[in-house]
Amino acid sequence: MTMTQERKSALIVEYATKNGDTGSPEVQVAVLSERINNLTEHFKTHVKDNHSRRGLLKLVSQRRQLLDYLARTDEGRYRSLIERLGIRR
């Protein structure tokens, strides 16, 4: 259920806009999307885990805020990120 350090590092390298980049919206959204996908798989077997469901809703909200910011500031980066992650809107 948790993301390994190697997977997180791979996501950072894949979505970084420059060398050493860990705070750009692209990297943050990619890491949040990975955590959301892991929790979604968790809920397929643990249907009544409402405490984790609250955390999932917070993650989705945080990702939505970052995507809205990216859409406001740079539409091209937003579109390419949505396409790369497979998030539909």
Side-chain angles (χ1 to χ4, degrees):
M1 184 167 111
T2 60
M3 186 179 357
T4 63
Q5 186 64 37
E6 293 83 20
R7 178 64 182 146
K8 188 173 184 177
S9 298
L11 283 172
I12 290 172
V13 168
E14 183 180 350
Y15 288 95
T17 56
K18 59 184 176 186
N19 194 12
D21 179 21
T22 59
S24 69
E26 289 91 346
V27 171
Q28 292 182 49
V29 169
V31 170
L32 284 172
S33 295
E34 181 74 17
R35 291 180 64 194
I36 288 168
N37 290 336
N38 288 342
L39 276 173
T40 303
E41 291 299 318
H42 170 77
F43 289 128
K44 290 182 180 175
T45 57
H46 302 90
V47 178
K48 295 185 178 184
D49 187 2
N50 290 319
H51 290 85
S52 296
R53 194 172 306 277
R54 179 177 185 266
L56 173 69
L57 291 175
K58 288 177 74 172
L59 291 176
V60 170
S61 174
Q62 187 176 4
R63 181 177 72 176
R64 181 77 261 150
Q65 288 176 352
L66 285 167
L67 286 172
D68 287 344
Y69 164 76
L70 198 56
R72 272 195 324 269
T73 57
D74 193 346
E75 183 75 24
R77 284 171 56 193
Y78 169 75
R79 294 257 180 233
S80 67
L81 181 63
I82 292 295
E83 186 68 31
R84 286 173 66 188
L85 288 173
I87 301 173
R88 63 177 192 268
R89 169 94 195 247

